[in-house]
Amino acid sequence: MTTGTKYKTAPLKCWQKGKELRLEAYRDLATGHEQGKLLVLGCAATPYGMLAGLGDFVFLAGEPYGASVAADPPVSIPAMETYEAKGYARDMCGYMRNFLGTMFQDKYYFTGGPFPKFDFAWSVRHCPAGHPKWHQIVSEYQGIPMNYIDDETMLAIDGDQEARIEYVAGQYLDSIEWMEKITKRKYDDEKGIEAMRNYFINEALWGEINLLNGAIPAPIDIKSMFALMPISMLRRHEKVAIEFLTELRDELKDRIGSNIAAVPNERYRMCMLTPPPWSFLKVFRYLENFGVVFVGTYVYLINSGEVKFLYDEGKVVPATPPEKRPGWKTMKNREDLCRTVARWRAEHPFQSHLDTRKKEYVIMFKHWKANAYLLLINRGCVPMTTSMYDFQRDLNKQGIPTAMFEGNFADCRDIDETGVLDRLETFLEGQGIQKIQEI
Amino acid sequence: MGAIEKFQEVLATRHQYAQDWKKKHNGKVIGWLCSYSPVEIMYASGMLPVRILGSHEVQDVTDRYLFPTVCPFSRDALAQGLKGRYNYLDGITMARTCSHVQGTYDNWKNYVPTPFKYYIWQPNHVQSPRAIPLMVREYKGFIAALEKFTGKKITDEALNKAIELYNKNRRLMKQVYEFRKQEVPPITGAECMEMVVASQLMDLAEHNKLLEELLKELPNRKLDRNHGLRLMMIGSEMDDIVFVRMMEELGCTVVIDEHCTGSRYFWDEVKLEKDPLTDIAARYVNRWVCPAVSAEFKPRFDRVLEHAKNWKVQGALVYQQKFCDPHEFDIPHLIKMFKENNIPTLVLEFDVTIPFGQFRTRIEAFLEMLELELV
């Protein structure tokens, strides 16, 4: 066993406020509909700030809801069994199985009461393997209208990107008309624009917060980030999120200035590409006993966050909200709004093509001053896993060590916790990292 | 050699066929993944469009590239590229549909030495009125790239000729399918599959001639077999002819299919309404929809049921390429629809290779059950 430098540490000052805001978000998800707010279903990457043009709303993003259920095995297991009893396959999206399971059970995770009926489903179609089908099943089951935006421009490297932006912007415009029709509400362009401005700022702030973990010692650990992420993920359209994320960012800067560490024993830094196994978050705490700090995961840098990659320089910097970028227009009406959102989505690293993404992984590894990547072969998500071996080979070629384990990020029955720990301990031993002796 | 035997020969020697075609025509061959790829445009460029298919053999080359929960077809197709079996290809293309075959394309692009590669961004919101105009612009990009690669201009005349050829092929194959409506079909499901798969590998000028021969032959064709029960096959990609043959030996005939190597691939013609490019775009946006593209059950299910009724099917084999999420989503709903229409179903899950013995037992049991119900 080995010992090493011990940094000073301190709890986050804004932690309590973060918890309260997170609770508010969950409370809103639980009771907002009863208070007359529109309840809309979609996936988390949807620019749901646009919904503000219709008035007050609650956006239930299916993935974080599925993750919340997945993190609670006594709820998750019966939910997934209910889903499977309906004849759906076990190898589909883990988030979706938890979500649909609780819907079929008529149990809403956040209240324990009946599962809410959505006013409509409106989403970007970011997962070709299943998210539109997921919403389709809800739409059929609840008898609610559904519309989606086809915007996976990330897959295209050939051809006319401007044509695709026009197509995506046009779908947003059409969907506003569609929403007006089905809700019988008039769309207020200014409110939609204002909420999306907040949305852009919050994405940039969350991205910047992620980047601050390039400091040694890391001012915040990944598990704490996951705990605060619902604010950026669920409340991106709100000013209150800007205030909180600004406060968090400033506090992290102060911690960096004062050398305050998230993990006092920090001596080995790891990062990830994917979401974590939600029912097994304790893995991060366990590995702290080895002095391992997880400094970030790529997926949440670019999903609910935004950064700007400077590929030629091999660097990453905080993103600028679209209207402040050279050559971008100030949004004045819904046409501007739809065009801005479409172009913003098209240029967002969330849309990066496979080959570009490989470059981004290396840039982030260097930025985070990491020692290794932890790769999850995720049986619960095809798009995130399809090319994982290719990514691993590419990272290894560049001298980046990778630890890999297989399991399901949202099905606790499909992850071997002991096996994962054994693999990781073996990997760390190979890296010369042993458990730190408790004094 | 009759038309069916010729189709069988092409299937068995598909790579040789393409290479012979190259020599004979001093031409180029382009491989395509996914039935949304616009074969008319490829043909108009003077290239031979060839669908990339797997070989249904155990392989150990894709696991370094694609995770094993990627669908078997996508892995098997990539394996063929990695093994060098498609080294004669001059180009490869695919239209955006599902993330599994996307993985095949991405890895092919990076690790298989095919000179020309082009990705067509197929609009997947097919219900949107904006899909066709975008499709036209996407095709313009594809055409420009093809012209640059081949050095040959793709004229409207060439596009019209290709449309005519492919439409004729579709009409002729539908005429063959009409024969399957007969009480005693003069053609088996396996033979039909050979015909349709061959159409995706051959020069259609040649394929059409063979179809015309076949259509002359079918009215008097008598098969020395027990046609048995009338089944429908439904699923995603399916070119496992050995399996279909085995199934039909057990006392049934596949009289109609709904999958992307069969009817879903060829059923819809290009309607000549505007300019050729818009007409082709409209065809691919409005075609018999794949669950990977559509977010509605109804357009696909209505057609499935219509065909099941028109071809008087007594049971449906719903097969699943393992891990194909979009089809998996549809399966419980398909089963429900069939049940409501008194059509029993059997669901089988396919991998690169299949457990023939087990499948045989399950199909036998299914057929026995159907026979009992019919008594």
Side-chain angles (χ1 to χ4, degrees):
Chain A
M1 293 203 221
T2 56
T3 56
T5 312
K6 201 153 188 173
Y7 297 101
K8 57 186 170 182
T9 188
L12 282 169
K13 288 176 197 159
C14 63
W15 183 252
Q16 188 55 32
K17 188 174 179 183
K19 277 174 71 178
E20 284 164 16
L21 287 173
R22 189 180 63 178
L23 192 64
E24 267 178 34
Y26 289 143
R27 201 178 290 143
D28 211 25
L29 284 171
T31 60
H33 201 212
E34 292 165 16
Q35 294 158 14
K37 295 179 181 177
L38 284 171
L39 182 60
V40 183
L41 167 68
C43 66
T46 307
Y48 56 79
M50 291 178 77
L51 293 167
L54 296 168
D56 289 340
F57 70 95
V58 181
F59 185 78
L60 182 63
E63 302 93 328
Y65 177 86
S68 298
V69 179
D72 192 348
V75 177
S76 173
I77 293 171
M80 287 189 288
E81 286 171 351
T82 306
Y83 156 91
E84 287 153 14
K86 292 271 182 190
Y88 294 105
R90 285 179 68 162
D91 55 84
M92 293 204 278
C93 169
Y95 288 151
M96 183 201 68
R97 289 191 285 138
N98 282 284
F99 179 101
L100 292 181
T102 57
M103 181 182 80
F104 293 140
Q105 288 177 313
D106 198 22
K107 281 184 189 165
Y108 191 39
Y109 181 66
F110 294 132
T111 63
F115 197 85
K117 183 174 177 182
F118 299 99
D119 289 294
F120 58 91
W122 179 74
S123 183
V124 289
R125 187 192 183 279
H126 84 85
C127 166
H131 282 26
K133 303 294 279 187
W134 167 355
H135 304 144
Q136 183 182 346
I137 288 169
V138 179
S139 166
E140 296 259 335
Y141 189 77
Q142 295 199 333
I144 56 161
M146 168 186 167
N147 201 335
Y148 67 95
I149 312 295
D150 172 28
D151 79 333
E152 297 160 306
T153 52
M154 63 180 172
L155 303 175
I157 46 172
D158 304 314
D160 188 348
Q161 187 71 344
E162 177 54 32
R164 292 169 200 137
I165 291 171
E166 280 177 28
Y167 163 71
V168 176
Q171 289 177 83
Y172 280 122
L173 261 179
D174 296 343
S175 72
I176 287 175
E177 272 183 35
W178 173 83
M179 287 190 276
E180 283 184 317
K181 200 172 151 191
I182 59 162
T183 62
K184 297 184 174 57
R185 295 183 183 198
K186 192 164 164 39
Y187 191 84
D188 184 329
D189 293 10
E190 279 184 24
K191 283 187 178 167
I193 289 169
E194 191 189 338
M196 277 312 295
R197 281 194 180 118
N198 294 340
Y199 191 102
F200 295 140
I201 293 167
N202 274 313
E203 284 233 342
L205 276 167
W206 185 250
E208 190 179 355
I209 286 164
N210 272 269
L211 294 185
L212 290 174
N213 252 4
I216 298 178
I220 186 167
D221 66 288
I222 204 170
K223 198 164 176 290
S224 301
M225 290 181 84
F226 291 148
L228 296 173
M229 197 169 62
I231 300 161
S232 73
M233 189 157 274
L234 304 175
R235 307 189 70 168
R236 261 175 286 182
H237 62 300
E238 293 183 76
K239 280 215 157 53
V240 69
I242 297 179
E243 288 161 14
F244 174 74
L245 294 181
T246 305
E247 189 181 331
L248 173 62
R249 178 199 60 190
D250 294 345
E251 188 184 341
L252 293 183
K253 282 182 177 175
D254 289 345
R255 286 167 73 95
I256 292 166
S258 310
N259 236 21
I260 295 174
V263 176
N265 292 323
E266 173 181 325
R267 64 197 175 113
Y268 194 83
R269 297 161 65 90
M270 293 188 79
C271 48
M272 295 180 72
L273 298 179
T274 61
W278 291 105
S279 61
F280 189 40
L281 292 176
K282 62 185 175 209
V283 66
F284 299 114
R285 287 283 176 258
Y286 178 80
L287 291 174
E288 284 175 11
N289 294 325
F290 290 75
V292 175
V293 60
F294 278 82
V295 290
T297 179
Y298 172 86
V299 68
Y300 295 129
L301 178 78
I302 50 97
N303 184 1
S304 82
E306 188 186 13
V307 290
K308 183 173 174 57
F309 287 99
L310 308 171
Y311 301 102
D312 293 339
E313 298 169 46
K315 284 184 181 168
V316 56
V317 294
T320 311
E323 287 175 301
K324 293 186 178 166
R325 295 175 193 175
W328 289 63
K329 275 174 71 175
T330 302
M331 295 182 283
K332 289 178 181 156
N333 52 42
R334 72 178 66 176
E335 285 77 15
D336 294 341
L337 170 65
C338 294
R339 163 86 196 169
T340 301
V341 172
R343 186 178 168 195
W344 172 75
R345 287 275 302 170
E347 295 180 13
H348 196 293
F350 186 81
Q351 303 270 12
S352 292
H353 185 267
L354 182 84
D355 296 332
T356 316
R357 197 152 275 191
K358 285 180 183 172
K359 291 179 194 162
E360 292 168 359
Y361 293 162
V362 176
I363 291 173
M364 283 318 302
F365 181 83
K366 289 178 180 165
H367 177 87
W368 275 324
K369 299 181 186 73
N371 299 98
Y373 260 114
L374 175 63
L375 307 179
L376 166 59
I377 290 285
N378 185 356
R379 292 197 202 114
C381 178
V382 171
M384 264 192 268
T385 303
T386 304
S387 296
M388 195 57 84
Y389 290 141
D390 192 28
F391 294 149
Q392 185 190 35
R393 197 169 45 250
D394 198 68
L395 292 168
N396 292 163
K397 265 186 201 166
Q398 306 201 44
I400 296 173
T402 52
M404 186 181 260
F405 71 98
E406 184 172 333
N408 196 309
F409 70 162
D411 185 346
C412 59
R413 301 167 303 179
D414 196 14
I415 184 159
D416 172 8
E417 297 185 1
T418 309
V420 170
L421 289 182
D422 284 348
R423 281 183 79 107
L424 292 178
E425 283 182 24
T426 306
F427 170 79
L428 289 170
E429 276 177 25
Q431 297 288 306
I433 301 295
Q434 290 174 303
K435 205 165 189 176
I436 293 166
Q437 187 173 12
E438 296 295 334
I439 297 168
Chain B
M1 185 184 282
I4 288 173
E5 288 75 24
K6 179 66 186 169
F7 297 143
Q8 288 167 348
E9 186 190 83
V10 171
L11 254 61
T13 60
R14 63 189 69 167
H15 300 301
Q16 193 56 49
Y17 177 88
Q19 290 171 80
D20 290 348
W21 186 94
K22 270 180 90 159
K23 271 187 206 155
K24 188 176 169 189
H25 296 267
N26 193 24
K28 290 185 163 63
V29 179
I30 182 165
W32 51 276
L33 291 159
C34 180
S35 63
Y36 274 82
S37 307
V39 281
E40 294 88 346
I41 294 173
M42 293 178 235
Y43 198 89
S45 75
M47 297 172 92
L48 174 68
V50 169
R51 185 167 192 171
I52 294 170
L53 297 169
S55 65
H56 305 283
E57 296 166 287
V58 175
Q59 52 88 11
D60 61 357
V61 293
T62 57
D63 281 359
R64 293 177 65 229
Y65 302 90
L66 290 175
F67 183 56
T69 58
V70 169
C71 94
F73 167 69
S74 302
R75 284 183 279 126
D76 201 4
L78 178 63
Q80 307 312 306
L82 294 171
K83 285 178 169 181
R85 289 179 179 165
Y86 279 99
N87 278 357
Y88 58 85
L89 287 183
D90 299 285
I92 179 171
T93 187
M94 81 161 272
R96 177 185 73 134
T97 46
C98 88
S99 49
H100 294 248
V101 78
Q102 175 76 40
T104 304
Y105 177 79
D106 283 332
N107 283 289
W108 193 296
K109 186 165 68 65
N110 288 342
Y111 302 110
V112 181
T114 308
F116 173 82
K117 292 139 185 164
Y118 196 90
Y119 184 86
I120 301 164
W121 201 78
Q122 170 84 30
N124 282 184
H125 194 168
V126 290
Q127 296 86 356
S128 169
R130 299 173 190 273
I132 294 173
L134 176 71
M135 192 80 267
V136 171
R137 288 174 76 171
E138 290 292 332
Y139 286 166
K140 282 181 180 167
F142 183 44
I143 285 174
L146 282 171
E147 286 177 341
K148 192 176 167 196
F149 179 67
T150 61
K152 186 187 162 194
K153 186 145 182 61
I154 300 175
T155 61
D156 276 3
E157 193 191 349
L159 285 171
N160 281 325
K161 273 189 182 169
I163 290 170
E164 199 182 316
L165 190 74
Y166 274 88
N167 274 353
K168 183 178 177 182
N169 188 256
R170 289 164 182 143
R171 278 195 295 275
L172 292 173
M173 289 205 285
K174 277 195 277 188
Q175 284 175 37
V176 173
Y177 268 50
E178 281 297 306
F179 279 92
R180 303 170 82 184
K181 283 181 177 169
Q182 292 180 5
E183 199 180 325
V184 182
I187 184 165
T188 66
E191 289 169 337
C192 256
M193 185 181 276
E194 285 160 345
M195 168 189 80
V196 186
V197 177
S199 77
Q200 296 159 58
L201 305 171
M202 291 177 74
D203 187 330
L204 281 205
E206 192 183 351
H207 195 262
N208 282 348
K209 279 183 195 159
L210 291 170
L211 286 176
E212 283 166 342
E213 280 175 30
L214 179 62
L215 283 164
K216 279 182 198 159
E217 189 190 328
L218 283 178
N220 302 311
R221 192 167 191 249
K222 297 270 185 295
L223 296 176
D224 183 21
R225 65 184 287 273
N226 168 23
H227 60 85
L229 295 155
R230 304 173 67 84
L231 294 192
M232 182 175 197
M233 275 188 82
I234 304 154
S236 51
E237 195 278 338
M238 168 55 76
D239 64 316
D240 198 334
I241 289 154
V242 180
F243 165 78
V244 180
R245 231 180 257 140
M246 176 273 281
M247 186 166 82
E248 291 188 312
E249 281 167 9
L250 300 176
C252 67
T253 302
V254 176
V255 292
I256 188 68
D257 60 72
E258 195 269 348
H259 54 75
C260 76
T261 335
S263 61
R264 214 158 68 208
Y265 158 71
F266 75 84
W267 205 261
D268 297 292
E269 292 179 30
V270 177
K271 291 179 188 159
L272 305 174
E273 290 172 340
K274 294 178 179 166
D275 59 283
L277 214 51
T278 307
D279 292 341
I280 295 171
R283 192 264 172 194
Y284 284 92
V285 169
N286 297 325
R287 55 158 273 189
W288 194 328
V289 76
C290 168
V293 170
S294 173
E296 288 180 6
F297 291 119
K298 198 170 162 29
R300 179 181 178 219
F301 285 19
D302 284 354
R303 275 189 159 196
V304 168
L305 190 58
E306 188 190 334
H307 279 67
K309 285 181 176 173
N310 288 345
W311 270 262
K312 295 187 176 60
V313 307
Q314 294 164 300
L317 172 67
V318 181
Y319 68 89
Q320 158 75 5
Q321 290 284 350
K322 207 169 181 176
F323 309 120
C324 170
D325 306 71
H327 282 83
E328 275 184 328
F329 275 105
D330 278 14
I331 285 175
H333 299 262
L334 266 177
I335 292 171
K336 185 168 171 272
M337 180 191 75
F338 279 125
K339 197 173 181 183
E340 285 165 359
N341 287 277
N342 298 316
I343 299 171
T345 50
L346 171 68
V347 180
L348 292 180
E349 194 170 67
F350 277 60
D351 208 321
V352 173
T353 60
I354 55 168
F356 261 84
Q358 289 171 25
F359 276 11
R360 188 185 170 95
T361 306
R362 291 184 64 187
I363 292 163
E364 276 176 337
F366 180 59
L367 296 176
E368 282 168 17
M369 184 198 75
L370 286 180
E371 277 165 358
L372 285 174
E373 283 191 2
L374 293 172
V375 173

